[in-house]
Structures are given as structure tokens and as C-alpha cells.
Amino acid sequence: MGPNPKMRKEFFDSTRSSPFPDEVLERVLSLLKSHKDRSAVSLVCKDWYNAESWSRAHVFIGNCYSVSPEIVARRFPRVKSVTLKGKPRFSDFNLVPENWGADVHPWLVVFAAKYPFLEELRLKRMAVSDESLEFLAINFPNFKVLSLLSCDGFSTDGLAAIATHCKNLTQLDIHENGIDDKSGSWLSCFPENFTSLEVLNFANLNTDVNFDALERLVSRCKSLKVLKASKSISLEHLQRLLVCAPQLIELGTGSLMPELTACQYAQLENAFNQLKNLSTLSGLWEASAPYLPVLYPACTNLTFLNLSYAFLQSHELESLLCQCPHLRRLWVLDTVGDKGLEAVGSNCPLLEELRVFPADPFDEEVIHGVTEAGFLAVSYGCRRLHYVLYFCRQMTNAAVATIVQNCPDFTHFRLCIMNPGQPDYVTNEPMDEAFGAVVRTCTKLQRLSVSGLLTDLTFEYIGQYAKNLETLSVAFAGSSDRGMQCMLEGCPKLRKLEIRDCPFGNAALLSGLEKYESMRSLWMSACNVTMNGCRLLAREMPRLNVEVMKDDGSDDSQADKVYVYRSVVGPRRDAPPCVLTLSGL
């Protein structure tokens, strides 16, 4: 149960400034799902602020150091669901020290005291120990949803504690974590009378799981809608799981490599044929042509096909896409080549999101891959496309201009030309006009990643036209400080700016003094920023946390990695020695 009515009355004890009764306000506010909308509503007047605080059931915290758990608990006394993000995104690329921080445990201690009724916790890039998972499992009796994305520090022992103690668990989503995968026996810790699970994702675990325990769990949980299995699940085992759960909406298969007898093949095909409601298909490790047809019966209603672990060739992709007439999201590896993307353009008229990942991003001699030709083919056939992440090794200005002309509704445009400083390979000109076309044409653009040979002209275009841009990622680009200044001056909605290996220095950094407090964060690494520049920023803007991470053997005067973010609690107290926190207070 939440706080009692007496607490509620005291909470609303204020000078009335709204004509609406508290109950009416709470009812209206409960209809708002966006945390941005709710935050805006809370600024109307004191009564609306109080009503929004009291009625808020979910809170999103984009940076665990921007606020303290104590402040969150005072501001929102009835929260049942928390989403909490920790380390900067560049921790995914090993640019953040392993012991950087973002420990979830202090948050859990406060939540146990203030939110014993907590039901959902979603963590991203947080440090999570087995002790924290056990604490979570024991202290929140009605806990239902745990999602761990890109977290580290825990092992399958922690998952065993969750399975043992969380009697009402409905979702366990473990994805892309740095987990110590000790054994697969944790699945046997779910009690034999446990039946509430609706989502189970352990796709990125490496060790063999206790399949008998998994099969019993899946067969008991009749409401299971999402099952994403690890690579260790064979085709034979997959067939047995599908027989237990024909109601699945999302499926992540194991490996498609082991050979099957004709009888086993027929049984597997029949099991897929029973998945009448399947909308998402992923996994498909080691997929090979002979076994792709078993998937066809389940492809009719697919809206999301994730092939980011399947090394498919163009003809294999084409044969699969022919079975997916309603596809809206597609993730593939660049092994499909331009021919494979031509098949996307021919077969996926409803496609809204495309992600093309490199199969081997560090092999400069790679002979496969995709080019501007594949991207163009998609843009001609998929006019509804509004989200793209595209890794390639060559691109032209003319191609990008044509692509955005064909698909002007892009909200997310992330073009990653993998060779740093690569010009337009036809004209040998910088790629400035390509991104100028993107920001001029795509007026709804919210996220942009730029790459290739870029001068300050690109950033002048961004500052002039990208008025709805919220997140910008820049690497190996720019000519001078002027480039960064244009971005900071011209993008009124900018919230996250990520920069690496660019020539921007102190003047560029300090040009954002009036901007940073309205942003969530700034990241700069391998730029020309000095320690003195960072100290000046901290002195001028004392409400910002300015953190500098030093590389071994680097010049003492240089600020190798700089992370700037707003915070209402001041400098954090758990920074390791390799992180210098500069304070203007």
C-alpha cells in the first residue's frame, strides 16, 4: 500500500491556486504517460505540482548522479516503477574506467525505506552486484519487473536470488550485460508453483542452461509472451519450448546450426506454424540456409526482425523478407551487402526503422559490407523510414541528399562511415553537404550522428537548421572551435552532446556556459580541452558537475575525457581516484 490519506492531506496543505479538486487533478494527471508532459504540468502552479508529485507512479532518471534517491523519494512519495541510467554511453566503447561508479545499491537502500511497494526497476549502465540483487529480491515483496541493460558487476548467483524470492515476478529482462555467467542452474531456483512470468530474456548469457528447469518454467507460465533464449538452446530444445508456448508474441531463438533429422525438421516447422501471434523474431545465431524455411510459417505477422547475430547473405535475407509483408523494424549485419538491402527496398514498403551493423568493424580489409547503393535502394522502397543506424565504408553527398529527399520524416539519422575522415569517395569533397541536406530536409530530426570528413560548415548547417535536435554524436570531425560553438548556439532543444577526437578546445567548451544547465550531459574525449579550461567551467557554473578522467601517461595539463552534467546534489562522493571532480563551490 502507498502512503495513507492523512499524509496525502498534509502533502496538499497549500494555498489553493487551482479551481480543480485534488481528486480531479490526480485523475487527469494519471492519463499523462510522458514524463516530459508530467514535468511540464508540474510547473503550472503549486497545487498542480503537488498533485503531480502525489499521482506519479513512474519516475525516469536519466543520470543517477543528477539527483539523490532521497530527493526523488521526497518529491514522489508513491512511485512504483523506476528507470535509472548510470554511466555515459561511451562506456560501451571502453572509454570509461571500469570502476567509474553508478552503483545501484544506495538507491535500493532508500527505496526499501521509502518505496517498499516498488514493483518495477529498469537499470541501464549501472553497477549491480549480486548482493544488490539479493537485497532487491528480499526487500520488495510485490516486486514484478527487473530489466538490466548494459549493466555489470553481477553473476548468475544474483539471478538465482531473484528467481528464488520474487514470487510475483512478471518480467526478467537481462540484455547485453557484463555478467559473470557461472552456471545455468539459476533457472531451477524458480519455485515449482511459480506461474506469473510474462517476459523472460536471457539471450546474451553464454553458459548452458538447465533446460529441464527452463522447459518446466515455460510450460507453467501460461501468460508468457516474450521468450528470448541464449545461443546454447539447440533447435531440438527450441521445438520443445515452442510446443509449450504457442502464445508467444516475441521470440529469440538459440542457435540454428545443429543438424536435424527429417522428423525433427517437420516437428520444428509445425511448432513455428503454431505461433499465430508472433510479432518479433530475434536470435538466429549461426543461421544457415537449410533451416531458414522453418521460420516462414511464423513470419506472416512479424513487425520486427532482428538479424544482428545472423551472418546472412543477400539471397538468404531476400528469401526471409518475402515472408514478412508487415515488417516495420529490421536489424541486419552488413554481410547482406547492397543486394540484400535492395531486397529490403523491394519487400518492405512499411519499414520504419533500419539498423545495419558491421560484422567485423575492425577488419579494414573486409570485402563484404554495404555502400551508398544499398541505402539508396532502401530509401526508394521504404518511404516511411524515420529511424536509421547505418554502418558503411563509403558514402557520397549526392546519395545522402537523395535518401533524405525520399524519406524526409527521419527523427533519428545515425550514419557511421567507419574510416575516420573519409571524404565523398566520388568527388573527394568533405561530407558537409550530406549532413546539410539531412538537417535542412528532416525538420523532425531528434538524434543525429555524423561521420566522414567534415569541416565547420557541417556544424553551421546543424546550428542553423536542426531546431528539434536533442542528441548529437560527433567523431573525428570539425576544423576549429567554431564548429562546436555553432551547435551550442543554434540547437535550442539539445540535451546530449557527445564528442570524441575533434579539434575543439577551451573556447568551444566555454561557449556553452549558458547552455549546459538545460542539457543532460556533455561528453568530450581526445579533444583539445585543458584542465584550466575545465576548472574555469566549474568555477563559472557551480551547479554543474565537471568530471575529468585522465589516461595513463597523459600530459598533466590536458583533460583527456570530460563529462559535464547538471546536478542538484553537487559533486558525487564515490568517484574513484582516476576521476577528478572539479567544483566551483
Side-chain angles (χ1 to χ4, degrees):
M1 295 179 60
N4 60 44
K6 182 179 178 181
M7 290 175 60
R8 179 182 177 281
K9 182 178 185 302
E10 292 172 352
F11 193 81
F12 279 110
D13 186 18
S14 62
T15 302
R16 301 297 300 178
S17 55
S18 169
F20 304 109
D22 300 336
E23 294 78 5
V24 173
L25 273 178
E26 287 186 31
R27 175 58 181 159
V28 171
L29 293 176
S30 69
L31 301 176
L32 296 179
K33 304 304 178 185
S34 165
H35 64 270
K36 292 182 180 179
D37 290 342
R38 294 190 66 105
S39 296
V41 162
S42 71
L43 300 177
V44 172
C45 64
K46 188 172 183 179
D47 285 339
W48 284 41
Y49 175 93
N50 289 339
E52 198 280 322
S53 296
W54 195 261
S55 62
R56 177 81 73 108
H58 172 76
V59 64
F60 170 87
I61 302 160
N63 180 347
C64 66
Y65 290 117
S66 65
V67 67
S68 70
E70 292 84 0
I71 291 176
V72 173
R74 285 197 302 269
R75 173 75 171 86
F76 304 111
R78 298 175 68 183
V79 163
K80 293 184 178 181
S81 172
V82 175
T83 297
L84 183 61
K85 293 185 177 182
K87 301 174 187 177
R89 190 177 70 90
F90 276 104
S91 64
D92 295 346
F93 307 100
N94 298 318
L95 293 179
V96 175
E98 287 187 9
N99 61 341
W100 182 83
D103 185 2
V104 74
H105 202 81
W107 289 83
L108 294 179
V109 171
V110 174
F111 289 169
K114 302 296 184 179
Y115 300 149
F117 39 83
L118 188 74
E119 296 180 358
E120 302 179 5
L121 184 62
R122 294 173 175 86
L123 305 177
K124 187 173 183 179
R125 301 190 185 98
M126 295 292 291
V128 183
S129 67
D130 287 339
E131 291 74 20
S132 292
L133 290 178
E134 185 174 6
F135 182 90
L136 171 67
I138 293 173
N139 285 277
F140 301 92
N142 200 37
F143 192 75
K144 296 178 180 179
V145 175
L146 177 62
S147 173
L148 302 177
L149 174 59
S150 300
C151 297
D152 56 35
F154 66 100
S155 75
T156 45
D157 290 346
L159 300 183
I162 296 293
T164 300
H165 299 290
C166 296
K167 308 299 185 184
N168 300 301
L169 196 69
T170 61
Q171 297 185 29
L172 182 58
D173 190 352
I174 312 299
H175 191 56
E176 294 183 356
N177 296 282
I179 182 172
D180 183 2
D181 199 350
K182 294 182 177 179
S183 76
S185 61
W186 62 276
L187 281 167
S188 63
C189 295
F190 285 102
E192 289 300 325
N193 61 350
F194 174 80
T195 62
S196 60
L197 206 59
E198 299 174 9
V199 174
L200 177 60
N201 178 5
F202 60 98
N204 290 101
L205 300 189
N206 295 316
T207 58
D208 292 342
V209 298
N210 183 329
F211 179 75
D212 289 339
L214 174 61
E215 186 176 29
R216 291 196 304 272
L217 177 64
V218 170
S219 64
R220 291 197 308 272
C221 297
K222 301 303 182 183
S223 297
L224 190 68
K225 296 295 189 295
V226 178
L227 175 61
K228 297 183 179 180
S230 65
K231 186 178 179 179
S232 66
I233 300 299
S234 67
L235 284 173
E236 182 182 357
H237 284 165
L238 179 64
Q239 182 268 331
R240 288 166 58 180
L241 294 175
L242 297 185
V243 169
C244 297
Q247 75 278 6
L248 289 177
I249 295 175
E250 298 184 21
L251 171 66
T253 74
S255 171
L256 296 192
M257 192 65 178
E259 293 187 7
L260 298 177
T261 65
C263 179
Q264 289 173 326
Y265 187 98
Q267 290 174 337
L268 182 60
E269 190 173 38
N270 182 63
F272 270 103
N273 195 42
Q274 300 306 310
L275 301 179
K276 304 299 184 183
N277 300 313
L278 198 68
S279 64
T280 297
L281 182 61
S282 61
L284 308 175
W285 281 276
E286 300 174 329
S288 56
Y291 295 108
L292 290 179
V294 301
L295 307 174
Y296 294 170
C299 289
T300 304
N301 296 315
L302 286 185
T303 58
F304 180 23
L305 182 58
N306 181 351
L307 301 170
S308 58
Y309 294 104
F311 289 74
L312 298 185
Q313 302 302 306
S314 59
H315 64 282
E316 296 169 330
L317 177 64
E318 183 173 16
S319 67
L320 199 51
L321 293 180
C322 290
Q323 312 298 321
C324 307
H326 303 294
L327 209 59
R328 285 170 171 76
R329 301 176 64 200
L330 176 64
W331 298 7
V332 296
L333 291 176
D334 62 4
T335 55
V336 302
D338 290 334
K339 287 291 185 182
L341 295 182
E342 289 175 14
V344 174
S346 300
N347 292 281
C348 305
L350 303 179
L351 197 69
E352 299 174 356
E353 175 184 327
L354 173 67
R355 304 193 191 197
V356 181
F357 300 96
D360 191 347
F362 304 109
D363 185 357
E364 297 183 2
E365 305 300 322
V366 67
I367 57 173
H368 61 254
V370 295
T371 70
E372 79 286 356
F375 203 169
L376 280 166
V378 171
S379 74
Y380 280 112
C382 309
R383 299 300 180 108
R384 298 187 182 187
L385 200 65
H386 61 75
Y387 188 120
V388 70
L389 171 60
Y390 197 83
F391 283 85
C392 62
R393 296 187 184 275
Q394 65 181 49
M395 188 55 63
T396 69
N397 286 297
V400 174
T402 301
I403 288 163
V404 296
Q405 197 68 40
N406 291 338
C407 305
D409 292 328
F410 276 115
T411 58
H412 295 67
F413 192 92
R414 302 165 66 188
L415 176 60
C416 303
I417 305 171
M418 288 185 285
N419 299 321
Q422 178 81 19
D424 180 319
Y425 81 98
V426 173
T427 66
N428 210 38
E429 294 291 321
M431 292 294 295
D432 297 326
E433 296 305 322
F435 292 101
V438 173
V439 294
R440 275 195 301 268
T441 307
C442 305
T443 57
K444 302 175 185 176
L445 195 68
Q446 297 174 11
R447 183 170 184 177
L448 176 65
S449 297
V450 299
S451 57
L453 179 61
L454 301 175
T455 71
D456 287 345
L457 181 58
T458 289
F459 305 108
E460 291 178 17
Y461 286 142
I462 291 173
Q464 184 175 358
Y465 295 106
K467 300 306 179 183
N468 288 310
L469 193 66
E470 297 180 3
T471 300
L472 176 59
S473 302
V474 182
F476 303 96
S479 311
S480 69
D481 289 337
R482 175 63 183 157
M484 184 171 171
Q485 291 167 355
C486 289
M487 294 183 284
L488 291 169
E489 293 170 2
C491 300
K493 295 184 179 180
L494 191 65
R495 292 176 55 78
K496 291 179 67 176
L497 179 56
E498 304 169 337
I499 303 172
R500 59 170 296 187
D501 295 275
C502 293
F504 307 143
N506 291 342
L509 174 69
L510 297 173
S511 69
L513 287 179
E514 303 304 319
K515 183 75 173 178
Y516 297 140
E517 282 195 0
S518 67
M519 293 171 56
R520 183 186 298 172
S521 64
L522 165 70
W523 170 277
M524 297 181 73
S525 60
C527 296
N528 293 332
V529 176
T530 69
M531 292 297 297
N532 285 338
C534 293
R535 291 188 184 99
L536 182 56
L537 174 61
R539 185 164 63 248
E540 293 293 323
M541 304 300 293
R543 287 183 292 185
L544 294 176
N545 280 0
V546 181
E547 297 185 0
V548 178
M549 286 156 267
K550 299 289 291 180
D551 294 332
D552 292 338
S554 65
D555 187 333
D556 289 343
S557 66
Q558 288 299 117
D560 303 311
K561 302 183 183 78
V562 182
Y563 185 46
V564 180
Y565 57 92
R566 63 188 182 191
S567 176
V568 297
V569 291
R572 60 189 177 109
R573 300 174 181 177
D574 64 347
C578 60
V579 176
L580 306 178
T581 301
L582 307 180
S583 175
L585 296 176

